[in-house]
Amino acid sequence: MGEGISDYTRYIVDLRRHMWLEGVETELRRLIWQIAVTGKYISAKIHESNRKLAGFRNIYGEEQLSLDRSSDEILKNQLQNSGFVREYASEEQDSVVQIGKGHEKYYITADPLDGSSLVDTNLAIGTIIGIHREPILSRGRDSMVAALYITYGPLITMIYSAGTGAHEFVLNREGEYVLSQENVRMDERGSIYSPGGLRKDCTDGHIKYLEYLESEGYKLRYSGGFVPDFNQVLIKRGGVFTYPALKKSPNGKLRLLFELQPMAFIMEQAGGMATNGKEDILSLKVTEIDQRSPVYIGSRFEVEKAREFL
Ligand code: AFP
């Protein structure tokens, strides 16, 4: 029997079955499934846009939406049609958009295409989603029930958590999300660090923290895309990603609602931590949709260590 055929005899757990086995409630299951499927459409858009790298041109000379904007459109339309979402807040929108009729259970935050400036370099990029049961301007810890992110790299992978651990799926050739790692667990300590921001703009405490990590032999891993950089720390089960307070922007660069809360939710579910250097990301009160925060996210040792230096 050829290798290809025996593939089909393997017992695979697909995303829907996994969520059912985990006891995720029906509507949430359907919503997560819908978002994962939307990742396939966004990925198709990325491929379409990458055709430009291969010399293809839009034959009609039409103005095309940027990849971020078209990913946002795709996501918003899919969520609107799902019937489960009351409000949609996206990095691409100026305000929270009411997309439901008012009785739906969920409120969604989205960074539809994070790292879009990396598309032309062919580096990995991603989609980040937070799922809330309460209006989003509160504390993530009070309102979030699930989070997921999709990495568009050599493979498309998806990690979700609905509050019972963090689980990784890979999109196979048949277009199914197949379980690749159940219950990803962070080690107490890792060996990589992923630091955003220019060192000359950082505070003394943060620079000393980086020097400490370097003196301990931590290896630098930074692509400039939050999704793949975070994913590397999570999948390697240790280390830290940080985008710190900068002298001119004390709240750093990354957005609390769209980028940090979902990843903090997943990291905590994997046994790691996420703080702004003092407080947990999920304990921070969000008052504006484009609120930013410094972040230290990863295994416990490195995140707690940051607190000592700051
Ligand atoms: P883009 O979506 O504009 O590419 O920004 C990506 C990002 O928000 C996040 O994915 C990175 O961690 C961070 O910016 C990188 O910022 P620096 O370019 O300042 O390192």
Side-chain angles (χ1 to χ4, degrees), residues 17 24 53 59 92 103 105 159 204 233 257 300:
R17 182 167 169 75
V24 180
L53 290 178
I59 53 168
E92 295 301 314
H103 56 75
K105 263 191 193 165
I159 296 213
D204 292 347
V233 170
L257 271 183
R300 289 186 166 270

Side-chain angles (χ1 to χ4, degrees), residues 10-307:
R10 271 187 310 127
Y11 177 71
I12 57 169
V13 179
D14 88 337
L15 175 60
R16 273 187 290 195
R17 182 167 169 75
H18 187 267
M19 290 191 285
W20 182 77
L21 290 171
E22 285 288 305
V24 180
E25 61 143 327
T26 313
E27 286 193 15
L28 184 55
R29 232 162 55 210
R30 292 195 179 145
L31 176 58
I32 292 174
W33 171 251
Q34 179 79 56
I35 296 168
V37 169
T38 306
K40 297 192 213 176
Y41 307 149
I42 294 178
S43 148
K45 264 282 167 213
I46 298 168
H47 278 267
E48 209 175 276
S49 115
N50 276 351
R51 281 161 58 88
K52 287 191 211 131
L53 290 178
F56 288 89
R57 294 275 173 272
N58 174 355
I59 53 168
Y60 305 109
E62 291 163 349
E63 179 86 4
Q64 290 196 329
L65 281 182
S66 72
L67 208 44
D68 318 58
R69 295 252 323 274
S70 43
S71 304
D72 184 54
E73 281 293 304
I74 294 171
L75 191 57
K76 183 159 71 66
N77 291 339
Q78 291 295 319
L79 292 174
Q80 194 149 25
N81 292 330
S82 75
F84 303 127
V85 181
R86 196 180 306 185
E87 288 177 6
Y88 174 70
S90 155
E91 198 170 88
E92 295 301 314
Q93 309 272 346
D94 297 332
S95 55
V96 178
V97 186
Q98 172 101 29
I99 60 171
K101 295 194 168 64
H103 56 75
E104 296 81 0
K105 263 191 193 165
Y106 298 105
Y107 303 77
I108 298 289
T109 67
D111 187 349
L113 200 67
D114 187 70
S116 53
S117 65
L118 300 175
V119 170
D120 56 359
T121 64
N122 202 21
L123 281 165
I125 51 182
T127 296
I128 310 173
I129 304 287
I131 303 178
H132 301 242
R133 274 300 294 274
E134 303 292 333
I136 53 168
L137 294 183
S138 67
R139 289 182 181 78
R141 202 168 299 293
D142 300 333
S143 61
M144 288 190 84
V145 289
L148 66 93
Y149 69 91
I150 300 170
T151 308
Y152 310 101
L155 292 174
I156 294 180
T157 57
M158 198 273 302
I159 296 213
Y160 90 92
S161 175
T164 56
H167 316 288
E168 184 194 44
F169 291 76
V170 60
L171 192 65
N172 70 8
R173 282 174 300 181
E174 287 72 39
E176 302 155 320
Y177 280 99
V178 175
L179 181 65
S180 45
Q181 296 191 58
E182 189 165 40
N183 256 322
V184 177
R185 293 302 294 170
M186 295 294 283
D187 294 335
E188 182 59 26
R189 180 177 181 165
S191 57
I192 57 176
Y193 75 121
S194 192
L198 283 180
R199 211 169 275 218
K200 72 176 178 56
D201 299 333
C202 294
T203 61
D204 292 347
H206 183 79
I207 292 172
K208 289 209 167 68
Y209 173 61
L210 297 182
E211 286 169 355
Y212 165 80
L213 295 174
E214 285 154 6
S215 71
E216 289 285 302
Y218 280 72
K219 285 188 185 157
L220 176 66
R221 294 286 183 265
Y222 191 74
S223 75
F226 182 41
V227 171
D229 288 337
F230 171 88
N231 192 54
Q232 182 158 201
V233 170
L234 186 72
I235 296 302
K236 297 291 183 195
R237 291 173 164 65
V240 63
F241 173 94
T242 168
Y243 207 106
L246 301 176
K247 284 176 194 152
K248 286 192 188 139
S249 43
N251 291 325
K253 177 177 182 188
L254 301 190
R255 289 181 171 85
L256 204 41
L257 271 183
F258 308 118
E259 293 165 302
L260 300 183
Q261 278 187 343
M263 296 311 214
F265 188 91
I266 289 169
M267 184 52 84
E268 285 195 4
Q269 286 293 320
M273 287 178 75
T275 76
N276 64 359
K278 294 187 182 91
E279 284 179 77
D280 289 345
I281 292 294
L282 293 180
S283 302
L284 300 174
K285 171 104 175 110
V286 187
T287 52
E288 287 166 30
I289 70 163
D290 66 346
Q291 199 169 321
R292 295 163 198 255
S293 168
V295 66
Y296 296 81
I297 186 166
S299 38
R300 289 186 166 270
F301 175 83
E302 291 83 351
V303 176
E304 276 170 354
K305 198 58 149 176
R307 217 188 292 252

